[in-house]
Amino acid sequence: MLTTKEAIEERRSIRKFKPEPVPDELLAELLDAARLAPSGCNAQPWRFKIVKDSDTKGKLAQAAFDQPFIAAAPVVLVCCADIRGYVEGMVSCTEDLGKIGAVEDRVVKIILKASDRMSEMPLEQVGPRIALNVAIAVEHIALRALDFGLGSCWIRLFDESAIKGIFGWDDNLHVVALLPLGYPAEAPLPRKRRALEDILL
């Protein structure tokens, strides 16, 4: 099994996949890795749709401005944020954190005021604010996938309303990313990265 450092160094964006299916038990392992991700106030807003059928994958590829490799992946995870669940979870989870002394009372009050403001905002404004929580969970999946020889590719270029239309979702779900998954049929070279001194302020 890879170390965390090795997984970070070896992860690549995979756009060519072998046709063999991804076993359900491995998908369960990946989603369990997502489940264990940290989130603001421990609200855990991530929700995932597992897509395996060719017709729906084709529709997702079209919604992603005709990126055909999405349809060719054995599995596509549609990674979403549950907006109402997050706002409600902020309240209950913050109160729980306050009870065990994980956060000070003054911080609890600040978070509860923020949740009140968010509950009054239009859903389409709240979604992008909580997307970071889902992004952490998605990266857990991308790194854990390497333990099973699986590759993935983050997709953010898509028409969100088109994806919601495929599944009949309302504005309570904010689509954060598409994540095609499968056994790689390519071995991309590492992309150039900035030097450490270039990222320090």
Side-chain angles (χ1 to χ4, degrees):
M1 187 173 291
L2 298 173
T3 65
T4 304
K5 183 176 187 293
E6 289 169 338
I8 291 170
E9 290 174 343
E10 292 187 20
R11 192 215 64 82
R12 302 283 185 272
S13 293
I14 300 299
R15 294 178 176 84
K16 294 180 181 178
F17 299 96
K18 296 177 182 178
E20 59 190 283
V22 178
D24 287 343
E25 57 267 28
L26 295 190
L27 286 174
E29 289 280 354
L30 299 182
L31 293 171
D32 198 48
R35 184 183 64 83
L36 297 173
S39 59
C41 305
N42 197 31
Q44 305 171 59
W46 37 77
R47 302 293 183 269
F48 300 95
K49 179 72 173 179
I50 300 171
V51 179
K52 295 181 182 180
D53 70 281
S54 297
D55 182 57
T56 307
K57 287 189 296 181
K59 291 176 181 177
L60 289 173
Q62 289 179 342
F65 302 101
D66 297 315
Q67 299 184 67
F69 80 93
I70 296 172
V75 178
V76 179
L77 295 182
V78 186
C79 311
C80 303
D82 173 7
I83 298 174
R84 288 193 185 92
Y86 179 82
V87 174
E88 293 169 2
M90 279 182 72
V91 175
S92 60
C93 294
T94 299
E95 290 172 345
D96 290 343
L97 291 171
K99 289 175 184 175
I100 64 173
V103 293
E104 299 176 7
D105 287 343
R106 65 178 183 81
V107 177
V108 171
K109 291 176 182 176
I110 291 170
I111 295 172
L112 293 179
K113 284 183 180 178
S115 70
D116 286 341
R117 289 195 299 272
M118 290 179 73
S119 65
E120 296 171 358
M121 292 171 61
L123 293 176
E124 63 271 14
Q125 291 182 22
V126 181
R129 289 174 176 246
I130 67 176
L132 178 62
N133 297 271
V134 180
I136 298 169
V138 175
E139 189 62 5
H140 274 211
I141 293 173
L143 293 176
R144 181 74 167 115
L146 296 175
D147 286 333
F148 308 113
L150 295 167
S152 63
C153 184
W154 275 81
I155 306 293
R156 274 290 303 150
L157 180 64
F158 52 74
D159 180 342
E160 183 180 9
S161 62
I163 293 176
K164 289 180 180 179
I166 293 169
F167 302 106
W169 293 338
D170 61 21
D171 285 340
N172 183 58
L173 284 177
H174 173 59
V175 183
V176 176
L178 300 178
L179 194 72
L181 284 164
Y183 294 99
E186 63 175 345
L189 295 173
R191 296 280 186 93
K192 185 178 179 181
R193 292 292 191 261
R194 296 182 186 275
L196 181 59
E197 57 267 24
D198 292 336
I199 66 173
L200 294 175
L201 296 176

